[in-house]
Amino acid sequence: MPDGITARHFDGSGGALRGFLPIAILGALLLAALLGAFGGTADPQVTAESNGARLTVEAPRTLRSGMILEIDIVVDAERPIARPVVAISGSYLRNLSFNSIIPDPSEAKFDNGTVMLNYGALKAGERLQVKLDGQVNPSLVGENDGQVAILDDNAVLAVRPVRLRVLP
């Protein structure tokens, strides 16, 4: 027999444990995946409402590195908003590449660590829907925390915290 291999390896002792343990580990991993621990579940929709505006953000909570993502931001104006600005924390967008922002903002800028997307005036009862399509850069692993806000020029109307967890 080769070095390190003895008759004990062939007598079947410990076979029940050796057969059960890998199956139990595989089953636990499959159950965790089915429950969404590794991403792939429906994107949650979160809402914040104050100062005459309702802000709804639908974005993934967990993704894998390199995956494509979609973020939907909806602003419902309950009163006129003269200069609506969708503000997204730079910390939330770190290592994410965006291919499109629909509709195009009239002005887009990065100011004090925040991406500012300016849109035309909203009347009471009107809705602004913004869709961002992009991809997680392969170098990103971990969590991006930040917030999405709707402003009327510089006045904050509603804010919603957001978090993205990226797995390798």
Side-chain angles (χ1 to χ4, degrees):
M1 282 191 204
D3 284 339
I5 303 294
T6 64
R8 171 177 71 86
H9 289 96
F10 300 104
D11 70 6
S13 64
L17 181 59
R18 272 188 274 170
F20 174 73
L21 191 58
I23 298 294
I25 291 171
L26 179 62
L29 286 171
L30 288 173
L31 181 62
L34 285 172
L35 294 175
F38 308 121
T41 58
D43 296 341
Q45 197 176 68
V46 293
T47 302
E49 191 170 350
S50 66
N51 298 323
R54 183 177 337 122
L55 171 68
T56 304
V57 180
E58 187 175 336
R61 281 197 181 142
T62 304
L63 287 174
R64 298 191 61 88
S65 182
M67 287 187 70
I68 293 173
L69 75 139
E70 184 176 291
I71 300 171
D72 291 313
I73 301 167
V74 178
V75 177
D76 291 303
E78 297 170 357
R79 66 166 180 81
I81 303 174
R83 295 191 55 202
V85 178
V86 174
I88 308 169
S89 299
S91 59
Y92 179 65
L93 301 177
R94 183 181 58 85
N95 278 324
L96 301 177
S97 298
F98 287 95
N99 304 323
S100 64
I101 300 174
I102 301 171
D104 286 331
S106 58
E107 180 185 5
K109 63 182 178 178
F110 189 75
D111 186 25
N112 290 326
T114 303
V115 174
M116 311 288 272
L117 306 172
N118 297 309
Y119 291 94
L122 294 175
K123 297 175 186 171
E126 286 189 330
R127 171 178 275 192
L128 169 65
Q129 292 182 275
V130 180
K131 180 180 174 190
L132 293 87
D133 291 314
Q135 183 174 1
V136 179
N137 290 342
S139 61
L140 178 59
V141 175
E143 288 191 353
N144 282 5
D145 294 315
Q147 61 185 21
V148 176
I150 180 68
L151 300 100
D152 188 351
D153 197 16
N154 291 322
V156 177
L157 300 179
V159 179
R160 184 67 204 177
V162 287
R163 171 177 284 168
L164 174 64
R165 181 174 67 147
V166 179
L167 302 173

